[in-house]
């Protein structure tokens, strides 16, 4: 379980970097359009803390479930637990924040996205 917690913290570190990048890109775009807003920056920072808490809560629940199931003789391999954590986080959060960062970079650089058919 200790190794999984280290992995969770590493994944959380990546999410925090993506989220901070997303916030700063949003601040740059917002400053160009309507001026700098401390309120929006504060909301972005609060969002990091709330998201990090939710991320840790999700991973905690996934980590504890096999321990609880083990009490009634249901054995869940740790590989499955790690896979659920990684898939759950990467397919949702990473995809969202990476996509948001790219869209904001396109906006800052005034790059038009082409629609593909």
């Amino acid at each position: 379980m200790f190794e999984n917690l280290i992995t969770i913290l590493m994944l959380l570190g990546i999410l925090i970097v993506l989220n901070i990048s997303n916030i700063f890109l949003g601040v740059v775009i917002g400053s160009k359009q309507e001026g700098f807003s401390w309120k929006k920056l504060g909301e972005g920072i609060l969002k990091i803390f709330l998201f990090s808490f939710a991320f840790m809560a999700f991973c905690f629940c996934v980590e504890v479930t096999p321990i609880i199931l083990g009490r009634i003789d249901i054995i869940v391999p740790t590989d499955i637990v790690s896979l659920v954590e990684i898939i759950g986080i990467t397919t949702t959060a990473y995809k969202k924040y990476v996509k948001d960062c790219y869209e904001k970079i396109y906006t800052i650089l005034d790059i038009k996205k082409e629609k593909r058919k």
Side-chain angles (χ1 to χ4, degrees):
M1 185 166 164
F2 182 71
E3 290 295 321
N4 285 345
L5 290 175
I6 292 174
T7 304
I8 291 167
L9 291 174
M10 289 177 171
L11 290 170
L12 184 59
I14 293 170
L15 281 173
I16 289 172
V17 169
L18 285 171
N19 204 323
I20 289 172
S21 300
N22 192 18
I23 288 170
F24 284 127
L25 291 169
V27 166
V28 170
I29 291 171
S31 296
K32 286 176 138 181
Q33 294 173 351
E34 51 191 62
F36 180 79
S37 171
W38 283 103
K39 181 180 177 185
K40 285 189 179 184
L41 180 62
E43 287 173 354
I45 293 170
L46 178 63
K47 183 176 155 182
I48 289 174
F49 288 113
L50 293 175
F51 185 79
S52 297
F53 175 76
F55 175 80
M56 290 299 289
F58 168 77
C59 290
F60 174 77
C61 291
V62 172
E63 284 288 322
V64 171
T65 300
I67 296 169
I68 294 168
L69 291 175
R71 295 179 57 80
I72 55 173
D73 294 329
I74 298 174
I75 306 301
V76 178
T78 57
D79 293 345
I80 291 177
V81 171
S82 298
L83 182 65
V84 167
E85 290 171 347
I86 291 171
I87 288 176
I89 297 304
T90 55
T91 58
T92 55
Y94 286 177
K95 180 183 172 216
K96 178 201 181 312
Y97 287 111
V98 169
K99 183 180 174 189
D100 282 352
C101 286
Y102 277 118
E103 288 176 359
K104 288 177 180 174
I105 289 171
Y106 286 153
T107 301
I108 289 170
L109 298 176
D110 198 26
I111 298 172
K112 307 289 183 207
K113 291 191 281 184
E114 295 179 19
K115 297 220 177 199
R116 295 184 180 160
K117 293 183 181 183

